[in-house]
């Protein structure tokens, strides 16, 4: 049983790292989109940010985060959602 508990904790740790990295990546895509002069690059990076958001939404229920990590993650996720909504993406 100890082995299972340890495996579960490690799985959550890795899952939380993945979600945080995906969130960071989405913000990076939006930053590139905001600073490029190329319309094609802007659109592509906005779409990549939206895909990252959808991936986070799909994977998040499988990961248990604890505070304060969870609070910060949720704050940043809400900011990403707001920014994507402003760009016209469906983020329901």
């Amino acid at each position: 049983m100890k082995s299972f508990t340890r495996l579960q904790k490690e799985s959550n740790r890795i899952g939380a790292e993945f979600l945080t990295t995906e969130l960071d990546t989405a913000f990076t895509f939006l930053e590139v989109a905001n600073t490029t002069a190329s319309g094609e690059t802007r659109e592509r990076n906005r779409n990549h940010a939206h895909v990252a958001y959808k991936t986070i939404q799909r994977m998040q229920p499988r990961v248990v985060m604890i505070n304060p990590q969870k609070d910060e993650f949720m704050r940043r996720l809400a900011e990403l959602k707001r920014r994507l909504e402003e760009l016209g993406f469906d983020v329901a």
Side-chain angles (χ1 to χ4, degrees):
M1 194 59 150
K2 289 181 183 179
S3 176
F4 176 76
T5 302
R6 188 179 37 182
L7 182 61
Q8 191 175 30
K9 285 182 180 180
E10 183 67 6
S11 178
N12 273 320
R13 184 189 66 74
I14 292 168
E17 276 184 29
F18 170 80
L19 291 175
T20 301
T21 300
E22 195 73 2
L23 189 58
D24 291 341
T25 302
F27 280 113
T28 299
F29 282 132
L30 289 179
E31 188 61 33
V32 170
N34 286 339
T35 58
T36 186
S38 168
E40 182 180 319
T41 300
R42 182 179 310 105
E43 201 59 33
R44 183 178 60 247
N45 281 281
R46 287 176 176 174
N47 287 328
H48 287 323
H50 185 233
V51 168
Y53 177 82
K54 291 191 307 187
T55 300
I56 293 166
Q57 290 295 96
R58 188 177 73 249
M59 301 299 292
Q60 185 184 5
R62 300 176 187 166
V63 177
V64 177
M65 290 186 191
I66 57 173
N67 290 329
Q69 178 190 37
K70 182 178 181 179
D71 290 340
E72 176 65 12
F73 178 82
M74 295 306 291
R75 183 193 66 72
R76 292 184 68 220
L77 184 60
E79 173 66 16
L80 176 60
K81 179 181 180 183
R82 183 191 63 75
R83 289 179 64 182
L84 289 169
E85 285 174 330
E86 288 177 354
L87 294 170
F89 286 98
D90 178 17
V91 289

